[in-house]
Amino acid sequence: MIHLIIAAFLLDLLIGDPYSWPHPIKIIGNFIAWFQQKFTKMKSEQEKYRLGIVLWLITVLGSGLATYCLLRVSFLMHPFVGTLCYIYLAYTTLAAKSLSLEGKKVYQKLKYGSLTDARKQVSMIVGRDTDELTKEEITKATIETVAENTSDGVIAPLMCLFLGGPTLAMMYKSVNTLDSMVGYVTPKYKAIGWFSAKMDDLWNFIPARLTWLYLLAATKLLQLDTTNAWRVGKTDCRNHKSPNSGYPEAVVAGALGIQLGGTHFYHGVEIYKPTIGVPLRSAEPEDILTANALLYATAILSLIVFSIIAFISNYYFF
């Protein structure tokens, strides 16, 4: 199935995620929102902790089961139908194109629009409050999102595709979507999202560290500051409240010579975050484009490496 995964990867690079197209992640997100609205009102903190586990199990196992059944049925109908279904489902788990486009939208607002427009645009891709962000803070927030999601939106689902096809990749996307929707430490989400946040940390442990390696190689390919990327990537990769997000962010911060992280407000609550990197200079909007270039280089490198490993494994062990 290596060729099908490559086809899905190329499809993502070509068209991204058109808003009008049906997308499984939208369905997963709608279910999570419905569950919260339906079952968490007027519940105690202890009940919300239990409901958070139930929410995670239903969402992740349900998405995996639905994907598996859809693939089985489509291949039973006809191999061609099954192939198309496989490619489409695999494609929907990847987000390189859409992530880079969202970053570029913020860049365009910073360069050619107003600060208010840029704040509104960046609010589409970050969880923090954006009403008071400066131009540089908006730039940094965008770079952090691109860097973190190089792992969450590309490397992790791609690794899952090679390990378990669209079924495992869709389960991963469910884990990631749950964390992005309820995995906050604010009073509203602390109980219902605790389990989702912990499981997201677990599922992203290996992908984040692989992303660290791929990003470091990508800095060399793009002729960025690989030495500083290595230094900051090694010393500051744990300077994050998440055990995983600091790995890609540290390499990107080092490659660009800027400082990321720091304390911000989330849903009106101030959340302390350590800083990542040494501020050799101020972050500029053009750094967003460089972060996008790192995203693409890292994605292509990982596809090549995963494909080679999968080919060798199939050739020698099956």
Side-chain angles (χ1 to χ4, degrees), residues 5 24 66 80 92 126 129 157 177-178 193 211 239 245 252 266 274 289 291 299 310:
I5 297 173
F80 182 72
T92 62
V126 300
D129 300 341
T177 304
L178 280 161
T211 304
N239 287 4
S245 298
V252 173
Y266 291 78
L289 301 182

Side-chain angles (χ1 to χ4, degrees), residues 25 28 32 56 59-61 63-64 67 92-95 148-161 163-180 196 199-208 211 244-245:
I25 309 305
I28 292 169
I32 295 168
W56 190 92
T59 306
V60 176
L61 297 181
S63 63
T67 304
T92 62
T93 66
L94 301 170
E148 180 180 352
N149 284 282
T150 298
S151 176
D152 296 357
V154 184
I155 307 304
L158 193 58
M159 185 183 79
C160 289
L161 283 171
L163 289 174
T167 299
L168 184 61
M170 197 64 69
M171 291 175 71
Y172 169 79
K173 294 302 292 184
S174 298
V175 172
N176 195 237
T177 304
L178 280 161
D179 181 65
S180 67
S196 291
M199 292 306 294
D200 184 77
D201 290 343
L202 179 63
W203 279 59
N204 279 298
F205 185 86
I206 293 175
T211 304
N244 303 313
S245 298

Side-chain angles (χ1 to χ4, degrees), residues 148 241 304:
E148 180 180 352
K241 293 184 74 67
I304 293 170

Side-chain angles (χ1 to χ4, degrees), residues 16-17 75 79 83 146 223 234 264 267 318:
D17 295 319
F75 273 106
T83 297
V146 172
Q223 298 183 324
K234 187 171 64 171
H264 294 285
H267 306 287
F318 297 98

Side-chain angles (χ1 to χ4, degrees), residues 24-53:
I25 309 305
K26 293 179 183 178
I27 299 173
I28 292 169
N30 289 337
F31 171 77
I32 295 168
W34 172 83
F35 187 97
Q36 289 185 85
Q37 173 108 16
K38 184 75 174 177
F39 297 106
T40 63
K41 286 184 177 180
M42 308 302 291
K43 299 292 184 180
S44 67
E45 289 294 291
Q46 197 62 37
E47 289 174 315
K48 286 183 179 179
Y49 275 108
R50 290 194 292 267
L51 283 170
I53 297 174

Side-chain angles (χ1 to χ4, degrees), residues 73-105:
V73 170
S74 64
F75 273 106
L76 286 173
M77 291 173 62
H78 194 278
F80 182 72
V81 175
T83 297
L84 289 180
C85 185
Y86 188 105
I87 293 173
Y88 183 74
L89 289 174
Y91 143 78
T92 62
T93 66
L94 301 170
K97 178 77 169 184
S98 60
L99 178 58
S100 67
L101 284 177
E102 292 302 321
K104 193 172 183 180
K105 287 178 185 177

Side-chain angles (χ1 to χ4, degrees), residues 270-285:
E270 188 176 28
I271 303 297
Y272 167 77
K273 288 186 176 182
T275 56
I276 297 174
V278 179
L280 302 178
R281 61 178 181 83
S282 299
E284 300 291 340

